[in-house]
């Protein structure tokens, strides 16, 4: 495949969490543009990025370390201008509102018009994997195995009239929801949504970086990032 000369610089916030796994997934991709991964720990590194991935980990710890590193406000500005993908803890940071926060609340970056609940699936021992229904990925008819580890749950979508629409990229069968989250009629609802896109931003409540199936990384690069770079 012919590759254009100018590499695309995709940052991975590397303050805490599964950033190395995301790096490996990006480096496996074979696309029309060369991808150069930047592990972001400083403002200088952030400023080099065309796009950013915020990995899973511990959302309050990532936010605190970002604040101590002088990155919190620059990250908020970055979210307003460039593509960002948040996975698990990163998904929490991309939300407008967060429920079930630790004492003292939760700093967020915003960017997606949703409310999300921390640890919606329960504790570490209640982690699980399940097949997802996906829309928009390559080979969308092929199930995607999602790994949920202390995963957040999407509680509500609340885009304002002036906001970009929210697209459901992946959902989970309502039958797989914990009993406390299930509706009596098993209706399709935000709690079953596990991957959402709004404009340039992508959010996944599970961990795509823990599989060898790189379709979500491919989707983020080809659909969210490449259209924004020259």
């Amino acid at each position: 495949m012919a590759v254009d000369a100018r590499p695309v610089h995709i940052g991975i916030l590397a303050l805490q969490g599964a950033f190395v796994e995301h790096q490996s997934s990006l480096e496996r991709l074979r696309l029309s543009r060369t991808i150069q991964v930047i592990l972001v720990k400083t403002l200088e590194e952030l400023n080099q990025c065309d796009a950013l991935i915020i990995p899973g980990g511990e959302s309050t710890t990532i936010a605190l370390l970002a604040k101590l590193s002088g990155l919190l406000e620059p990250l908020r500005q970055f979210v307003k201008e460039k593509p960002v993908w948040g996975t698990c803890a990163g998904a929490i940071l991309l939300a407008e509102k967060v429920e079930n926060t630790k004492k003292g609340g939760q700093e967020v970056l915003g960017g997606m018009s949703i409310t999300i609940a921390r640890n919606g699936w329960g504790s570490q021992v209640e982690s699980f994997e399940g097949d997802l229904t996906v829309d928009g990925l390559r080979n969308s008819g092929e199930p995607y195995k999602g790994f949920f580890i202390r995963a957040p749950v999407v509680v509500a979508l609340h885009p304002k009239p002036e906001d970009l629409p929210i697209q459901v990229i992946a959902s989970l069968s309502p039958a797989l929801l914990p009993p406390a989250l299930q509706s009596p009629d098993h209706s399709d609802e935000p709690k079953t949504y596990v991957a959402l896109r709004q404009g340039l931003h992508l959010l996944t409540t599970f961990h795509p970086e823990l599989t060898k199936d790189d379709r979500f990384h491919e989707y983020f690069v080809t659909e969210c990032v490449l259209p924004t770079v020259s």
Side-chain angles (χ1 to χ4, degrees), residues 191-225:
K191 293 171 187 174
T192 67
Y193 301 157
V194 296
L196 299 171
R197 179 182 176 184
Q198 186 174 23
L200 300 178
H201 302 328
L202 180 65
L203 171 157
T204 54
T205 63
F206 55 99
H207 290 269
E209 76 281 4
L210 297 184
T211 80
K212 297 299 183 183
D213 187 339
D214 298 323
R215 283 181 291 164
F216 268 96
H217 290 80
E218 179 183 359
Y219 177 88
F220 178 62
V221 175
T222 58
E223 299 297 323
C224 299
V225 181

PDB file of all heavy atoms in Angstrom, residues 191-225:
ATOM      1  N   LYS A 191     -27.781   2.629  28.714  1.00  0.00           N
ATOM      2  CA  LYS A 191     -26.921   1.739  29.498  1.00  0.00           C
ATOM      3  C   LYS A 191     -26.321   0.613  28.657  1.00  0.00           C
ATOM      4  O   LYS A 191     -25.323   0.011  29.054  1.00  0.00           O
ATOM      5  CB  LYS A 191     -27.704   1.164  30.670  1.00  0.00           C
ATOM      6  CG  LYS A 191     -28.086   2.214  31.712  1.00  0.00           C
ATOM      7  CD  LYS A 191     -29.035   1.647  32.748  1.00  0.00           C
ATOM      8  CE  LYS A 191     -29.538   2.748  33.687  1.00  0.00           C
ATOM      9  NZ  LYS A 191     -30.556   2.273  34.624  1.00  0.00           N
ATOM     10  N   THR A 192     -26.931   0.310  27.516  1.00  0.00           N
ATOM     11  CA  THR A 192     -26.385  -0.728  26.647  1.00  0.00           C
ATOM     12  C   THR A 192     -25.373  -0.177  25.650  1.00  0.00           C
ATOM     13  O   THR A 192     -24.704  -0.945  24.967  1.00  0.00           O
ATOM     14  CB  THR A 192     -27.498  -1.439  25.851  1.00  0.00           C
ATOM     15  OG1 THR A 192     -28.084  -0.511  24.927  1.00  0.00           O
ATOM     16  CG2 THR A 192     -28.572  -1.982  26.778  1.00  0.00           C
ATOM     17  N   TYR A 193     -25.243   1.159  25.570  1.00  0.00           N
ATOM     18  CA  TYR A 193     -24.322   1.772  24.614  1.00  0.00           C
ATOM     19  C   TYR A 193     -22.901   1.728  25.182  1.00  0.00           C
ATOM     20  O   TYR A 193     -22.633   2.270  26.248  1.00  0.00           O
ATOM     21  CB  TYR A 193     -24.698   3.228  24.345  1.00  0.00           C
ATOM     22  CG  TYR A 193     -26.088   3.436  23.806  1.00  0.00           C
ATOM     23  CD1 TYR A 193     -26.724   4.668  23.956  1.00  0.00           C
ATOM     24  CD2 TYR A 193     -26.793   2.423  23.153  1.00  0.00           C
ATOM     25  CE1 TYR A 193     -27.993   4.885  23.459  1.00  0.00           C
ATOM     26  CE2 TYR A 193     -28.070   2.626  22.665  1.00  0.00           C
ATOM     27  CZ  TYR A 193     -28.670   3.859  22.819  1.00  0.00           C
ATOM     28  OH  TYR A 193     -29.930   4.071  22.339  1.00  0.00           O
ATOM     29  N   VAL A 194     -22.000   1.114  24.453  1.00  0.00           N
ATOM     30  CA  VAL A 194     -20.629   0.969  24.961  1.00  0.00           C
ATOM     31  C   VAL A 194     -19.591   1.641  24.070  1.00  0.00           C
ATOM     32  O   VAL A 194     -18.413   1.689  24.429  1.00  0.00           O
ATOM     33  CB  VAL A 194     -20.276  -0.517  25.173  1.00  0.00           C
ATOM     34  CG1 VAL A 194     -21.163  -1.125  26.261  1.00  0.00           C
ATOM     35  CG2 VAL A 194     -20.394  -1.317  23.879  1.00  0.00           C
ATOM     36  N   ALA A 195     -20.011   2.157  22.931  1.00  0.00           N
ATOM     37  CA  ALA A 195     -19.129   2.966  22.082  1.00  0.00           C
ATOM     38  C   ALA A 195     -19.972   4.024  21.394  1.00  0.00           C
ATOM     39  O   ALA A 195     -20.966   3.706  20.738  1.00  0.00           O
ATOM     40  CB  ALA A 195     -18.403   2.119  21.049  1.00  0.00           C
ATOM     41  N   LEU A 196     -19.578   5.283  21.552  1.00  0.00           N
ATOM     42  CA  LEU A 196     -20.312   6.415  20.987  1.00  0.00           C
ATOM     43  C   LEU A 196     -19.347   7.324  20.252  1.00  0.00           C
ATOM     44  O   LEU A 196     -18.190   7.479  20.652  1.00  0.00           O
ATOM     45  CB  LEU A 196     -21.000   7.226  22.094  1.00  0.00           C
ATOM     46  CG  LEU A 196     -22.033   6.512  22.958  1.00  0.00           C
ATOM     47  CD1 LEU A 196     -22.431   7.410  24.130  1.00  0.00           C
ATOM     48  CD2 LEU A 196     -23.255   6.127  22.140  1.00  0.00           C
ATOM     49  N   ARG A 197     -19.878   7.945  19.203  1.00  0.00           N
ATOM     50  CA  ARG A 197     -19.107   8.970  18.496  1.00  0.00           C
ATOM     51  C   ARG A 197     -19.926  10.257  18.456  1.00  0.00           C
ATOM     52  O   ARG A 197     -21.132  10.230  18.212  1.00  0.00           O
ATOM     53  CB  ARG A 197     -18.788   8.527  17.074  1.00  0.00           C
ATOM     54  CG  ARG A 197     -18.001   9.601  16.310  1.00  0.00           C
ATOM     55  CD  ARG A 197     -17.713   9.180  14.883  1.00  0.00           C
ATOM     56  NE  ARG A 197     -17.044  10.266  14.162  1.00  0.00           N
ATOM     57  CZ  ARG A 197     -16.743  10.222  12.868  1.00  0.00           C
ATOM     58  NH1 ARG A 197     -17.050   9.140  12.165  1.00  0.00           N
ATOM     59  NH2 ARG A 197     -16.139  11.243  12.293  1.00  0.00           N
ATOM     60  N   GLN A 198     -19.259  11.373  18.697  1.00  0.00           N
ATOM     61  CA  GLN A 198     -19.882  12.687  18.548  1.00  0.00           C
ATOM     62  C   GLN A 198     -18.865  13.595  17.866  1.00  0.00           C
ATOM     63  O   GLN A 198     -17.874  14.002  18.475  1.00  0.00           O
ATOM     64  CB  GLN A 198     -20.316  13.270  19.886  1.00  0.00           C
ATOM     65  CG  GLN A 198     -21.106  14.574  19.742  1.00  0.00           C
ATOM     66  CD  GLN A 198     -21.667  15.067  21.070  1.00  0.00           C
ATOM     67  OE1 GLN A 198     -21.163  14.721  22.154  1.00  0.00           O
ATOM     68  NE2 GLN A 198     -22.717  15.871  20.996  1.00  0.00           N
ATOM     69  N   GLY A 199     -19.089  13.886  16.601  1.00  0.00           N
ATOM     70  CA  GLY A 199     -18.131  14.688  15.853  1.00  0.00           C
ATOM     71  C   GLY A 199     -16.793  13.996  15.741  1.00  0.00           C
ATOM     72  O   GLY A 199     -16.699  12.851  15.270  1.00  0.00           O
ATOM     73  N   LEU A 200     -15.739  14.665  16.182  1.00  0.00           N
ATOM     74  CA  LEU A 200     -14.387  14.119  16.100  1.00  0.00           C
ATOM     75  C   LEU A 200     -14.068  13.162  17.244  1.00  0.00           C
ATOM     76  O   LEU A 200     -12.986  12.561  17.255  1.00  0.00           O
ATOM     77  CB  LEU A 200     -13.363  15.261  16.123  1.00  0.00           C
ATOM     78  CG  LEU A 200     -13.450  16.298  15.001  1.00  0.00           C
ATOM     79  CD1 LEU A 200     -12.385  17.371  15.215  1.00  0.00           C
ATOM     80  CD2 LEU A 200     -13.292  15.653  13.636  1.00  0.00           C
ATOM     81  N   HIS A 201     -14.972  13.039  18.205  1.00  0.00           N
ATOM     82  CA  HIS A 201     -14.658  12.312  19.431  1.00  0.00           C
ATOM     83  C   HIS A 201     -15.280  10.918  19.454  1.00  0.00           C
ATOM     84  O   HIS A 201     -16.404  10.710  18.983  1.00  0.00           O
ATOM     85  CB  HIS A 201     -15.134  13.100  20.647  1.00  0.00           C
ATOM     86  CG  HIS A 201     -14.539  14.473  20.738  1.00  0.00           C
ATOM     87  ND1 HIS A 201     -13.272  14.753  20.281  1.00  0.00           N
ATOM     88  CD2 HIS A 201     -15.036  15.646  21.212  1.00  0.00           C
ATOM     89  CE1 HIS A 201     -13.009  16.025  20.470  1.00  0.00           C
ATOM     90  NE2 HIS A 201     -14.063  16.600  21.025  1.00  0.00           N
ATOM     91  N   LEU A 202     -14.528   9.988  20.021  1.00  0.00           N
ATOM     92  CA  LEU A 202     -14.952   8.604  20.169  1.00  0.00           C
ATOM     93  C   LEU A 202     -14.808   8.213  21.623  1.00  0.00           C
ATOM     94  O   LEU A 202     -13.848   8.608  22.298  1.00  0.00           O
ATOM     95  CB  LEU A 202     -14.079   7.694  19.287  1.00  0.00           C
ATOM     96  CG  LEU A 202     -14.370   6.197  19.305  1.00  0.00           C
ATOM     97  CD1 LEU A 202     -15.751   5.897  18.722  1.00  0.00           C
ATOM     98  CD2 LEU A 202     -13.299   5.444  18.516  1.00  0.00           C
ATOM     99  N   LEU A 203     -15.761   7.432  22.106  1.00  0.00           N
ATOM    100  CA  LEU A 203     -15.769   7.009  23.509  1.00  0.00           C
ATOM    101  C   LEU A 203     -16.101   5.528  23.537  1.00  0.00           C
ATOM    102  O   LEU A 203     -17.042   5.082  22.877  1.00  0.00           O
ATOM    103  CB  LEU A 203     -16.821   7.832  24.242  1.00  0.00           C
ATOM    104  CG  LEU A 203     -17.245   7.529  25.678  1.00  0.00           C
ATOM    105  CD1 LEU A 203     -17.843   8.801  26.308  1.00  0.00           C
ATOM    106  CD2 LEU A 203     -18.292   6.414  25.739  1.00  0.00           C
ATOM    107  N   THR A 204     -15.294   4.748  24.261  1.00  0.00           N
ATOM    108  CA  THR A 204     -15.601   3.329  24.481  1.00  0.00           C
ATOM    109  C   THR A 204     -15.495   3.035  25.972  1.00  0.00           C
ATOM    110  O   THR A 204     -14.512   3.412  26.604  1.00  0.00           O
ATOM    111  CB  THR A 204     -14.646   2.398  23.698  1.00  0.00           C
ATOM    112  OG1 THR A 204     -13.287   2.725  24.003  1.00  0.00           O
ATOM    113  CG2 THR A 204     -14.854   2.524  22.205  1.00  0.00           C
ATOM    114  N   THR A 205     -16.500   2.365  26.517  1.00  0.00           N
ATOM    115  CA  THR A 205     -16.486   2.072  27.951  1.00  0.00           C
ATOM    116  C   THR A 205     -15.683   0.814  28.268  1.00  0.00           C
ATOM    117  O   THR A 205     -15.442   0.515  29.434  1.00  0.00           O
ATOM    118  CB  THR A 205     -17.921   1.903  28.492  1.00  0.00           C
ATOM    119  OG1 THR A 205     -18.544   0.785  27.859  1.00  0.00           O
ATOM    120  CG2 THR A 205     -18.759   3.160  28.237  1.00  0.00           C
ATOM    121  N   PHE A 206     -15.255   0.103  27.240  1.00  0.00           N
ATOM    122  CA  PHE A 206     -14.479  -1.128  27.407  1.00  0.00           C
ATOM    123  C   PHE A 206     -13.045  -0.875  26.941  1.00  0.00           C
ATOM    124  O   PHE A 206     -12.639   0.267  26.731  1.00  0.00           O
ATOM    125  CB  PHE A 206     -15.126  -2.280  26.631  1.00  0.00           C
ATOM    126  CG  PHE A 206     -15.327  -1.977  25.169  1.00  0.00           C
ATOM    127  CD1 PHE A 206     -14.438  -2.428  24.220  1.00  0.00           C
ATOM    128  CD2 PHE A 206     -16.426  -1.241  24.751  1.00  0.00           C
ATOM    129  CE1 PHE A 206     -14.605  -2.136  22.879  1.00  0.00           C
ATOM    130  CE2 PHE A 206     -16.608  -0.948  23.405  1.00  0.00           C
ATOM    131  CZ  PHE A 206     -15.697  -1.392  22.476  1.00  0.00           C
ATOM    132  N   HIS A 207     -12.264  -1.944  26.791  1.00  0.00           N
ATOM    133  CA  HIS A 207     -10.827  -1.835  26.508  1.00  0.00           C
ATOM    134  C   HIS A 207     -10.465  -2.476  25.164  1.00  0.00           C
ATOM    135  O   HIS A 207     -10.001  -3.623  25.122  1.00  0.00           O
ATOM    136  CB  HIS A 207     -10.024  -2.520  27.615  1.00  0.00           C
ATOM    137  CG  HIS A 207     -10.035  -1.815  28.924  1.00  0.00           C
ATOM    138  ND1 HIS A 207      -9.082  -0.885  29.278  1.00  0.00           N
ATOM    139  CD2 HIS A 207     -10.893  -1.888  29.967  1.00  0.00           C
ATOM    140  CE1 HIS A 207      -9.351  -0.416  30.488  1.00  0.00           C
ATOM    141  NE2 HIS A 207     -10.438  -1.010  30.926  1.00  0.00           N
ATOM    142  N   PRO A 208     -10.607  -1.760  24.039  1.00  0.00           N
ATOM    143  CA  PRO A 208     -10.218  -2.341  22.749  1.00  0.00           C
ATOM    144  C   PRO A 208      -8.727  -2.658  22.651  1.00  0.00           C
ATOM    145  O   PRO A 208      -8.323  -3.506  21.848  1.00  0.00           O
ATOM    146  CB  PRO A 208     -10.610  -1.249  21.740  1.00  0.00           C
ATOM    147  CG  PRO A 208     -11.644  -0.435  22.432  1.00  0.00           C
ATOM    148  CD  PRO A 208     -11.244  -0.451  23.873  1.00  0.00           C
ATOM    149  N   GLU A 209      -7.929  -1.979  23.448  1.00  0.00           N
ATOM    150  CA  GLU A 209      -6.482  -2.190  23.372  1.00  0.00           C
ATOM    151  C   GLU A 209      -6.055  -3.538  23.951  1.00  0.00           C
ATOM    152  O   GLU A 209      -4.890  -3.939  23.785  1.00  0.00           O
ATOM    153  CB  GLU A 209      -5.747  -1.054  24.095  1.00  0.00           C
ATOM    154  CG  GLU A 209      -5.771  -1.113  25.607  1.00  0.00           C
ATOM    155  CD  GLU A 209      -7.087  -0.613  26.234  1.00  0.00           C
ATOM    156  OE1 GLU A 209      -8.016  -0.290  25.485  1.00  0.00           O
ATOM    157  OE2 GLU A 209      -7.153  -0.561  27.480  1.00  0.00           O
ATOM    158  N   LEU A 210      -6.964  -4.247  24.626  1.00  0.00           N
ATOM    159  CA  LEU A 210      -6.613  -5.530  25.230  1.00  0.00           C
ATOM    160  C   LEU A 210      -6.890  -6.707  24.301  1.00  0.00           C
ATOM    161  O   LEU A 210      -6.746  -7.864  24.711  1.00  0.00           O
ATOM    162  CB  LEU A 210      -7.382  -5.724  26.549  1.00  0.00           C
ATOM    163  CG  LEU A 210      -7.060  -4.707  27.644  1.00  0.00           C
ATOM    164  CD1 LEU A 210      -7.802  -5.057  28.928  1.00  0.00           C
ATOM    165  CD2 LEU A 210      -5.566  -4.604  27.904  1.00  0.00           C
ATOM    166  N   THR A 211      -7.303  -6.440  23.058  1.00  0.00           N
ATOM    167  CA  THR A 211      -7.530  -7.502  22.089  1.00  0.00           C
ATOM    168  C   THR A 211      -6.554  -7.333  20.926  1.00  0.00           C
ATOM    169  O   THR A 211      -5.883  -6.314  20.798  1.00  0.00           O
ATOM    170  CB  THR A 211      -8.972  -7.466  21.538  1.00  0.00           C
ATOM    171  OG1 THR A 211      -9.057  -6.462  20.524  1.00  0.00           O
ATOM    172  CG2 THR A 211      -9.977  -7.176  22.638  1.00  0.00           C
ATOM    173  N   LYS A 212      -6.514  -8.330  20.064  1.00  0.00           N
ATOM    174  CA  LYS A 212      -5.746  -8.239  18.816  1.00  0.00           C
ATOM    175  C   LYS A 212      -6.637  -7.750  17.674  1.00  0.00           C
ATOM    176  O   LYS A 212      -6.179  -7.638  16.531  1.00  0.00           O
ATOM    177  CB  LYS A 212      -5.141  -9.602  18.465  1.00  0.00           C
ATOM    178  CG  LYS A 212      -4.138 -10.115  19.488  1.00  0.00           C
ATOM    179  CD  LYS A 212      -2.942  -9.178  19.635  1.00  0.00           C
ATOM    180  CE  LYS A 212      -1.921  -9.749  20.607  1.00  0.00           C
ATOM    181  NZ  LYS A 212      -0.775  -8.822  20.812  1.00  0.00           N
ATOM    182  N   ASP A 213      -7.895  -7.474  17.969  1.00  0.00           N
ATOM    183  CA  ASP A 213      -8.830  -6.945  16.981  1.00  0.00           C
ATOM    184  C   ASP A 213      -8.695  -5.422  16.993  1.00  0.00           C
ATOM    185  O   ASP A 213      -9.173  -4.748  17.910  1.00  0.00           O
ATOM    186  CB  ASP A 213     -10.262  -7.367  17.355  1.00  0.00           C
ATOM    187  CG  ASP A 213     -11.283  -7.004  16.285  1.00  0.00           C
ATOM    188  OD1 ASP A 213     -11.000  -6.100  15.464  1.00  0.00           O
ATOM    189  OD2 ASP A 213     -12.372  -7.610  16.277  1.00  0.00           O
ATOM    190  N   ASP A 214      -8.046  -4.889  15.980  1.00  0.00           N
ATOM    191  CA  ASP A 214      -7.695  -3.473  15.965  1.00  0.00           C
ATOM    192  C   ASP A 214      -8.710  -2.606  15.213  1.00  0.00           C
ATOM    193  O   ASP A 214      -8.403  -1.475  14.818  1.00  0.00           O
ATOM    194  CB  ASP A 214      -6.307  -3.281  15.332  1.00  0.00           C
ATOM    195  CG  ASP A 214      -5.209  -3.972  16.122  1.00  0.00           C
ATOM    196  OD1 ASP A 214      -5.283  -3.970  17.364  1.00  0.00           O
ATOM    197  OD2 ASP A 214      -4.289  -4.526  15.489  1.00  0.00           O
ATOM    198  N   ARG A 215      -9.927  -3.108  15.042  1.00  0.00           N
ATOM    199  CA  ARG A 215     -10.889  -2.360  14.232  1.00  0.00           C
ATOM    200  C   ARG A 215     -11.285  -1.022  14.852  1.00  0.00           C
ATOM    201  O   ARG A 215     -11.570  -0.057  14.129  1.00  0.00           O
ATOM    202  CB  ARG A 215     -12.128  -3.209  13.968  1.00  0.00           C
ATOM    203  CG  ARG A 215     -11.904  -4.272  12.896  1.00  0.00           C
ATOM    204  CD  ARG A 215     -13.154  -5.072  12.637  1.00  0.00           C
ATOM    205  NE  ARG A 215     -13.493  -5.930  13.760  1.00  0.00           N
ATOM    206  CZ  ARG A 215     -14.688  -6.504  13.931  1.00  0.00           C
ATOM    207  NH1 ARG A 215     -15.664  -6.256  13.077  1.00  0.00           N
ATOM    208  NH2 ARG A 215     -14.911  -7.289  14.963  1.00  0.00           N
ATOM    209  N   PHE A 216     -11.331  -0.909  16.172  1.00  0.00           N
ATOM    210  CA  PHE A 216     -11.667   0.380  16.779  1.00  0.00           C
ATOM    211  C   PHE A 216     -10.527   1.383  16.585  1.00  0.00           C
ATOM    212  O   PHE A 216     -10.767   2.570  16.349  1.00  0.00           O
ATOM    213  CB  PHE A 216     -12.017   0.220  18.261  1.00  0.00           C
ATOM    214  CG  PHE A 216     -13.485   0.011  18.485  1.00  0.00           C
ATOM    215  CD1 PHE A 216     -13.989  -1.267  18.620  1.00  0.00           C
ATOM    216  CD2 PHE A 216     -14.367   1.074  18.542  1.00  0.00           C
ATOM    217  CE1 PHE A 216     -15.344  -1.481  18.808  1.00  0.00           C
ATOM    218  CE2 PHE A 216     -15.722   0.879  18.735  1.00  0.00           C
ATOM    219  CZ  PHE A 216     -16.218  -0.402  18.863  1.00  0.00           C
ATOM    220  N   HIS A 217      -9.292   0.931  16.692  1.00  0.00           N
ATOM    221  CA  HIS A 217      -8.161   1.820  16.425  1.00  0.00           C
ATOM    222  C   HIS A 217      -8.165   2.263  14.965  1.00  0.00           C
ATOM    223  O   HIS A 217      -7.928   3.436  14.645  1.00  0.00           O
ATOM    224  CB  HIS A 217      -6.850   1.135  16.791  1.00  0.00           C
ATOM    225  CG  HIS A 217      -6.658   0.940  18.261  1.00  0.00           C
ATOM    226  ND1 HIS A 217      -7.259  -0.091  18.955  1.00  0.00           N
ATOM    227  CD2 HIS A 217      -5.966   1.673  19.185  1.00  0.00           C
ATOM    228  CE1 HIS A 217      -6.935   0.009  20.240  1.00  0.00           C
ATOM    229  NE2 HIS A 217      -6.153   1.065  20.405  1.00  0.00           N
ATOM    230  N   GLU A 218      -8.459   1.329  14.071  1.00  0.00           N
ATOM    231  CA  GLU A 218      -8.564   1.665  12.653  1.00  0.00           C
ATOM    232  C   GLU A 218      -9.687   2.674  12.420  1.00  0.00           C
ATOM    233  O   GLU A 218      -9.522   3.645  11.663  1.00  0.00           O
ATOM    234  CB  GLU A 218      -8.823   0.387  11.849  1.00  0.00           C
ATOM    235  CG  GLU A 218      -8.969   0.610  10.363  1.00  0.00           C
ATOM    236  CD  GLU A 218      -9.300  -0.683   9.622  1.00  0.00           C
ATOM    237  OE1 GLU A 218      -9.404  -1.753  10.264  1.00  0.00           O
ATOM    238  OE2 GLU A 218      -9.463  -0.622   8.397  1.00  0.00           O
ATOM    239  N   TYR A 219     -10.832   2.465  13.062  1.00  0.00           N
ATOM    240  CA  TYR A 219     -11.970   3.365  12.904  1.00  0.00           C
ATOM    241  C   TYR A 219     -11.608   4.776  13.382  1.00  0.00           C
ATOM    242  O   TYR A 219     -11.906   5.766  12.701  1.00  0.00           O
ATOM    243  CB  TYR A 219     -13.169   2.835  13.698  1.00  0.00           C
ATOM    244  CG  TYR A 219     -14.382   3.745  13.642  1.00  0.00           C
ATOM    245  CD1 TYR A 219     -15.314   3.608  12.617  1.00  0.00           C
ATOM    246  CD2 TYR A 219     -14.587   4.733  14.598  1.00  0.00           C
ATOM    247  CE1 TYR A 219     -16.425   4.442  12.548  1.00  0.00           C
ATOM    248  CE2 TYR A 219     -15.685   5.572  14.533  1.00  0.00           C
ATOM    249  CZ  TYR A 219     -16.603   5.421  13.510  1.00  0.00           C
ATOM    250  OH  TYR A 219     -17.688   6.261  13.442  1.00  0.00           O
ATOM    251  N   PHE A 220     -10.985   4.879  14.553  1.00  0.00           N
ATOM    252  CA  PHE A 220     -10.633   6.193  15.079  1.00  0.00           C
ATOM    253  C   PHE A 220      -9.709   6.934  14.113  1.00  0.00           C
ATOM    254  O   PHE A 220      -9.923   8.115  13.810  1.00  0.00           O
ATOM    255  CB  PHE A 220      -9.961   6.048  16.442  1.00  0.00           C
ATOM    256  CG  PHE A 220      -9.517   7.359  17.043  1.00  0.00           C
ATOM    257  CD1 PHE A 220     -10.430   8.357  17.345  1.00  0.00           C
ATOM    258  CD2 PHE A 220      -8.166   7.598  17.309  1.00  0.00           C
ATOM    259  CE1 PHE A 220     -10.014   9.567  17.894  1.00  0.00           C
ATOM    260  CE2 PHE A 220      -7.748   8.800  17.858  1.00  0.00           C
ATOM    261  CZ  PHE A 220      -8.676   9.791  18.145  1.00  0.00           C
ATOM    262  N   VAL A 221      -8.710   6.226  13.608  1.00  0.00           N
ATOM    263  CA  VAL A 221      -7.748   6.886  12.722  1.00  0.00           C
ATOM    264  C   VAL A 221      -8.406   7.280  11.406  1.00  0.00           C
ATOM    265  O   VAL A 221      -8.287   8.427  10.949  1.00  0.00           O
ATOM    266  CB  VAL A 221      -6.527   5.981  12.472  1.00  0.00           C
ATOM    267  CG1 VAL A 221      -5.594   6.627  11.455  1.00  0.00           C
ATOM    268  CG2 VAL A 221      -5.777   5.731  13.778  1.00  0.00           C
ATOM    269  N   THR A 222      -9.124   6.351  10.764  1.00  0.00           N
ATOM    270  CA  THR A 222      -9.641   6.616   9.423  1.00  0.00           C
ATOM    271  C   THR A 222     -10.851   7.530   9.429  1.00  0.00           C
ATOM    272  O   THR A 222     -11.014   8.348   8.521  1.00  0.00           O
ATOM    273  CB  THR A 222     -10.008   5.306   8.723  1.00  0.00           C
ATOM    274  OG1 THR A 222     -10.991   4.588   9.490  1.00  0.00           O
ATOM    275  CG2 THR A 222      -8.774   4.412   8.538  1.00  0.00           C
ATOM    276  N   GLU A 223     -11.710   7.429  10.451  1.00  0.00           N
ATOM    277  CA  GLU A 223     -12.964   8.198  10.430  1.00  0.00           C
ATOM    278  C   GLU A 223     -12.869   9.512  11.211  1.00  0.00           C
ATOM    279  O   GLU A 223     -13.531  10.484  10.855  1.00  0.00           O
ATOM    280  CB  GLU A 223     -14.102   7.331  11.001  1.00  0.00           C
ATOM    281  CG  GLU A 223     -14.376   6.062  10.221  1.00  0.00           C
ATOM    282  CD  GLU A 223     -14.832   6.344   8.803  1.00  0.00           C
ATOM    283  OE1 GLU A 223     -15.580   7.325   8.584  1.00  0.00           O
ATOM    284  OE2 GLU A 223     -14.438   5.580   7.904  1.00  0.00           O
ATOM    285  N   CYS A 224     -12.088   9.529  12.278  1.00  0.00           N
ATOM    286  CA  CYS A 224     -12.028  10.722  13.122  1.00  0.00           C
ATOM    287  C   CYS A 224     -10.779  11.570  12.871  1.00  0.00           C
ATOM    288  O   CYS A 224     -10.844  12.803  12.926  1.00  0.00           O
ATOM    289  CB  CYS A 224     -12.079  10.332  14.608  1.00  0.00           C
ATOM    290  SG  CYS A 224     -13.591   9.456  15.080  1.00  0.00           S
ATOM    291  N   VAL A 225      -9.657  10.913  12.629  1.00  0.00           N
ATOM    292  CA  VAL A 225      -8.379  11.632  12.567  1.00  0.00           C
ATOM    293  C   VAL A 225      -8.005  12.050  11.145  1.00  0.00           C
ATOM    294  O   VAL A 225      -7.766  13.244  10.886  1.00  0.00           O
ATOM    295  CB  VAL A 225      -7.245  10.793  13.190  1.00  0.00           C
ATOM    296  CG1 VAL A 225      -5.934  11.567  13.148  1.00  0.00           C
ATOM    297  CG2 VAL A 225      -7.580  10.393  14.612  1.00  0.00           C
TER     298      VAL A 225
END
